[in-house]
Each structure stands twice: as C-alpha cells, then as structure tokens.
Amino acid sequence: MKEKKKFSFTPEKLWGIAIFVFFAWFIFAFLVFPNLNTVVSVFYQNGHFTTEIFTKLIHSTKAMRSLRNSLILARTLSITVGFIGISLVLITEYFDIKGANILRLGYMTTLIYGGIILVSGYKFIYGKTGILTTLFAKIIPSFPIDWFEGYWAVLFVMTFACTSNHMIFLRNAMRSVDFQTVEAAQNMGASQFRILTKVVLPVLTPSLMAVTILTFITGLCAMSAPTLLGYDSINPEIVRLAGSSVADESFPQARAALLSIILAMFTIVLLTVLSAYERKG
C-alpha cells in the first residue's frame, strides 16, 4: 500500500504563507477596498440604493464646468506640449545647433522638480505679488496684477513643464533613426522638410503617440497648476467637494466620488488605447 504523504509546515512554507497573507491583505486594504468604498458611496445614500447623484452632478454648473475645462486643457495641452516637445528633441538631438546642450539641460530640470514646487516658482515671478508683475505694475500703473491666472496661465506653465515624457521617450526613439538613410536622402536632393516627414517622423510615431496620450492624461488629471493659478478643473473640484460642509450642497462627497470615477474611466480608456497601439507594434 502506498503511504500518504504528510504535509509538514517547514519554516520556508510558513514564511511563504505569511508573505502571501500580508500582500493579500495589503492589496485588499489599500487598493481594492478604497475603490469599492468609492463606488458604494456613490450609489448608496442614506442606507438605500439611488441614482439621484447623476442628476445632481449633471445639474451642478460648477462640476460640469470643471469637467469641460479639464477636457479643454487636456486637448490643448496635447497640441502645445507636442509641438514644444518635438521641437526640443529635434533641436537638441537632430539638428547641429550651438547651445543645444544648455537648452537640453534647462528642459531636463523638469525631471528634477515639478508639481507644486514648479508652479510656485512661476507664481513667485508672474503672480500678483511676483517679481516681474510688481516691476511691470510700477512701470505701468494700469497693468493688471492678476494677468497670470486662469486657463492661459495654466496652459503656459504646463506646456513648458510637461515635456519630461518627450525628453525620456522621444529622445530614445530619435536614436533609432537611421542617419545613413537621412544622408542618402540629402544626397538625392530631398528637402529637410521631406526628410523629416518621410524618414524621421515615421520612426518617432509610436513614441509620439504614447507621449501624446500620457500628456492628455496629465492635463486631464492636473492638480497643482489649476489649484494655484485659479482654474476650475476636475481634481480641484473633487478636493473641494470631498471636504465640503456647505448646507446647500447635497451629497458633496458622493459627487466627488462620482467625478473620481469619471476621471478614472477616462484614464482607463486612454491607457487601454495606448496598450492596444503598443501591441500593434
């Protein structure tokens, strides 16, 4: 007769079980449960299921304006950052221009610091009490001290601050360009514009698509610049609603949770598109 194998708890197996239990608890407690709680807080109000929160959100002028403003910022930011990022990579990596190393070093500072620190730096210079704004107000008495606020200020700051993805991904893609093909095209009399559009940009297209989607997500989820520069967008509105105790606002926390879910769905869709594009090579 075959003897049954006895299961023994060796120290290695006990450590493995302990590690598994710890990570299972960690994932549920800090990843799964908060998200489930967010969904529950949206659809369950006063102990019963309701969809009234959708009506409340749709009729909330400030919430709808914040959602629209975030989409506007994300779209325009994809264009402006793309233009600046591509120009930067071409100037520093493709064209032989004096001073390119200094320009590259300047833009690489966005990899070191960002967020509130970066926006605060702009505000210290161009804000209401900023150095240049104070100087202009002394020279021109009618100069508006609140000129660096709102959509255009946010777009300006984020356009020059969000080129980090281009500095990382697009520069690496530029090194994949076959410069022998570029020289052959030049010898055949092709113009510089034709070489860029027919030889260089096709090589950069996959990376360019990726950084454009990442830039769109960055604009959609922007927090620091809209908050400090006074632009109504989704994340500042979520923070405001989450801490709201105003009597005339019904279900503020639930509306904040619903906006968070909408923001998450936008991000998931964009990342899904990016993953599908990458799978196609």
Side-chain angles (χ1 to χ4, degrees), residues 190-268:
S191 64
Q192 193 63 252
F193 178 78
R194 187 170 181 82
I195 293 174
L196 287 174
T197 55
K198 297 298 182 181
V199 180
V200 178
L201 288 182
V203 178
L204 303 181
T205 298
S207 297
L208 186 59
M209 179 69 178
V211 296
T212 300
I213 292 177
L214 292 175
T215 301
F216 190 94
I217 294 175
T218 301
L220 194 65
C221 302
M223 178 68 182
S224 302
T227 301
L228 294 179
L229 298 176
Y231 182 67
D232 294 330
S233 61
I234 293 181
N235 269 329
E237 178 65 7
I238 290 173
V239 174
R240 188 191 70 83
L241 288 173
S244 176
S245 59
V246 181
D248 60 352
E249 286 191 344
S250 56
F251 308 134
Q253 285 74 27
R255 279 192 281 169
L258 183 56
L259 281 174
S260 300
I261 293 174
I262 294 173
L263 187 62
M265 293 303 298
F266 272 115
T267 306
I268 290 172

Side-chain angles (χ1 to χ4, degrees), residues 118-131 148-149 227-229:
L118 181 64
V119 181
S120 297
Y122 278 95
K123 197 169 183 179
F124 288 152
I125 298 176
Y126 305 110
K128 289 183 178 181
T129 58
I131 299 172
F148 197 73
E149 291 182 0
T227 301
L228 294 179
L229 298 176

